[in-house]
Amino acid sequence: SAYVAFYLNYIEAHHLQLQFRFKAAAKVLKEQVNIIVEYPAIKSNARLAGALINYAWNEIYFCNFSNALKEIEKAETLLAPQSINLYQCFETRFYSYFYLSEYENAAQYLALLKAQDDGATAEFRTGKREYHSACIAFARRDHQAVHEILRQLNPIEIDDEGWNIGMRFLFIMNDIELEKTENAVLRTENLRKHLEKLKKKTNIAK
């Protein structure tokens, strides 16, 4: 049935993405869009918008940022105001504009995302937005602003294997730009120890 084909496509695409086979995933996700369009039994604006968003995200993984924006434009026309999926569109736009070096547009959509952060996971999401603000500031060479943002306590630091490492790298790069060589060396050594600790933890888990 169309429902079975729809969910099988979703699972297959996710599996391909985990293998970093984004070109193959794009083909599967495009097929999913076509299934929704062709079969009235499963066709709905919300489902089609969701499929387009998934396709756009895959385009980001595939570094097709301009195409991701085109797909998001299609998705946005199908969504009601205040739809949760609309904020997924904003996030897709943020990443696409950032990697296209269109920092003004990226900052605009980041502000929209910050304004809607609420609920149980709001604190962590807000922390991600602050990190992204620091990334934009770094790209704009506003290194003092980067320093001020990163020196604040951020809830994403608890993610030892992910966001924490990203923050540490950004801090090091920013110290180098500010010519704070001693700080950069110290932070690099702390990062090395952190990664070594994570490696030991992983080995114990095995």
Side-chain angles (χ1 to χ4, degrees):
S1 71
Y3 277 105
V4 173
F6 172 80
Y7 287 111
L8 281 177
N9 273 57
Y10 180 84
I11 293 169
E12 183 181 359
H14 183 63
H15 179 67
L16 290 168
Q17 287 172 338
L18 290 174
Q19 296 177 319
F20 302 100
R21 296 171 62 190
F22 301 119
K23 187 174 182 179
K27 182 179 179 181
V28 174
L29 289 168
K30 198 67 175 179
E31 288 174 1
Q32 187 181 57
V33 170
N34 292 335
I35 289 170
I36 297 169
V37 171
E38 292 173 10
Y39 291 90
I42 65 169
K43 187 175 181 179
S44 72
N45 284 349
R47 184 172 284 126
L48 180 55
L52 289 168
I53 291 168
N54 288 337
Y55 184 77
W57 268 105
N58 191 76
E59 291 297 280
I60 289 177
Y61 298 144
F62 203 35
C63 298
N64 286 337
F65 308 118
S66 295
N67 202 44
L69 289 171
K70 291 178 183 177
E71 297 302 321
I72 282 302
E73 286 177 9
K74 297 176 190 176
E76 287 174 341
T77 64
L78 301 169
L79 295 170
Q82 307 305 316
S83 166
I84 293 176
N85 283 345
L86 190 59
Y87 294 109
Q88 288 183 302
C89 291
F90 292 167
E91 190 157 31
T92 308
R93 281 185 175 276
F94 161 72
Y95 281 109
S96 297
Y97 284 129
F98 180 83
Y99 289 119
L100 286 169
S101 301
E102 296 183 23
Y103 302 122
E104 288 297 328
N105 287 330
Q108 176 187 344
Y109 281 95
L110 186 60
L112 290 173
L113 289 166
K114 285 182 179 181
Q116 62 86 37
D117 281 335
D118 58 11
T121 59
E123 186 179 15
F124 194 86
R125 289 200 306 274
T126 299
K128 287 168 57 179
R129 312 300 184 211
E130 289 302 311
Y131 170 76
H132 287 141
S133 293
C135 290
I136 290 175
F138 185 85
R140 289 170 164 171
R141 297 187 174 278
D142 188 353
H143 300 296
Q144 192 56 45
V146 177
H147 180 78
E148 292 302 318
I149 294 170
L150 292 181
R151 66 191 293 266
Q152 303 298 319
L153 288 175
N154 191 318
I156 67 173
E157 292 179 52
I158 64 172
D159 180 19
D160 286 342
E161 298 179 21
W163 293 99
N164 183 298
I165 294 173
M167 288 185 67
R168 288 170 182 265
F169 270 116
L170 186 55
F171 232 139
I172 292 167
M173 291 189 297
N174 200 61
D175 281 341
I176 292 171
E177 293 295 332
L178 289 171
E179 298 184 358
K180 295 183 177 181
T181 308
E182 291 185 7
N183 285 357
V185 170
L186 179 60
R187 293 188 199 281
T188 302
E189 177 59 17
N190 287 339
L191 174 59
R192 185 194 66 77
K193 291 178 180 177
H194 178 73
L195 294 174
E196 189 65 30
K197 184 178 178 181
L198 289 178
K199 183 179 178 181
K200 290 178 180 178
K201 187 188 296 185
T202 302
N203 290 337
I204 291 173
K206 289 181 181 179

